[in-house]
Amino acid sequence: MTTQTDAPAAGTAEYAPEIAPRLAWAQLVPDVYKAMIRLDTAAKQGLDPKLYELVKIRASQINHCALCIDMHSKDALAAGESVERIVQLSAWEESRHFYTGKELAALELTEAVTVLTDGFVPDEVYERAAELFEETELAQLIAAITVINAWNRFGVTCRMTPGHYQPGQHK
């Protein structure tokens, strides 16, 4: 990762400067940050760690949260996820053969919950997920999707900087 403080090697292209965050929200409202951490910890209980990270990456891609894409891609790799499946995630509908039926249902639900422009999650999307997940697991999945969307709003609004996260840093 090249940052503002890294000088490019002779003969290489110069990278754009790193953009500074707008606001250090976690330091300014530590109780909110701590509550988000507790909510995140509760939301992932009982979910497969790889599925959990795929859902977080996909929601973050949709929301253009560079910090969360960086963080959850690294955590997914640390959890044993393959580079290939992470790379294909942005085009999962055309790469369905990389994912299980349960993962596909989770990704479809993630997109429906993340993009509420029609004002609802379609019944067929919810029903596909409900067929493959037990009720408690489905509730956990919905919670995980909701929490990553909240994190994305902080990350995008405050323009949090990607590239510095180390896997497991926030555990």
Side-chain angles (χ1 to χ4, degrees):
M1 172 65 206
T2 300
T3 64
Q4 285 180 337
T5 59
D6 296 332
T12 63
E14 188 171 329
Y15 290 93
E18 188 174 275
I19 298 171
R22 287 179 173 156
L23 183 70
W25 77 271
Q27 287 78 33
L28 295 168
V29 288
D31 290 342
V32 174
Y33 178 75
K34 291 174 192 170
M36 286 293 296
I37 294 289
R38 288 191 306 273
L39 185 59
D40 201 7
T41 300
K44 69 181 173 184
Q45 299 301 311
L47 291 177
D48 173 79
K50 289 181 186 178
L51 174 74
Y52 174 74
E53 296 301 339
L54 290 175
V55 162
K56 289 190 141 207
I57 295 165
R58 185 64 194 130
S60 300
Q61 289 172 334
I62 294 165
N63 290 323
H64 304 280
C65 185
L67 174 72
C68 293
I69 293 168
D70 176 60
M71 178 185 302
H72 296 294
S73 295
K74 289 174 179 174
D75 283 343
L77 289 167
E81 187 54 80
S82 72
V83 170
E84 188 172 48
R85 284 170 30 106
I86 294 170
V87 168
Q88 291 299 317
L89 197 52
S90 65
W92 67 268
E93 290 177 299
E94 292 80 26
S95 305
R96 298 177 73 80
H97 60 286
F98 285 88
Y99 307 99
T100 67
K102 198 170 182 178
E103 290 167 339
L104 291 169
L107 293 171
E108 188 175 27
L109 184 62
T110 299
E111 291 196 4
V113 172
T114 301
V115 182
L116 292 173
T117 53
D118 291 332
F120 60 92
V121 172
D123 289 339
E124 59 274 7
V125 170
Y126 181 86
E127 289 164 9
R128 262 191 294 283
E131 288 172 8
L132 295 167
F133 290 87
E134 294 178 17
E135 270 192 340
T136 301
E137 189 180 23
L138 180 59
Q140 291 294 150
L141 177 60
I142 293 167
I145 296 166
T146 302
V147 172
I148 189 56
N149 273 280
W151 282 118
N152 290 166
R153 269 80 182 150
F154 285 115
V156 170
T157 303
C158 297
R159 196 180 284 140
M160 303 307 296
T161 308
H164 303 284
Y165 179 77
Q166 296 301 313
Q169 181 178 326
H170 295 300
K171 289 186 180 191

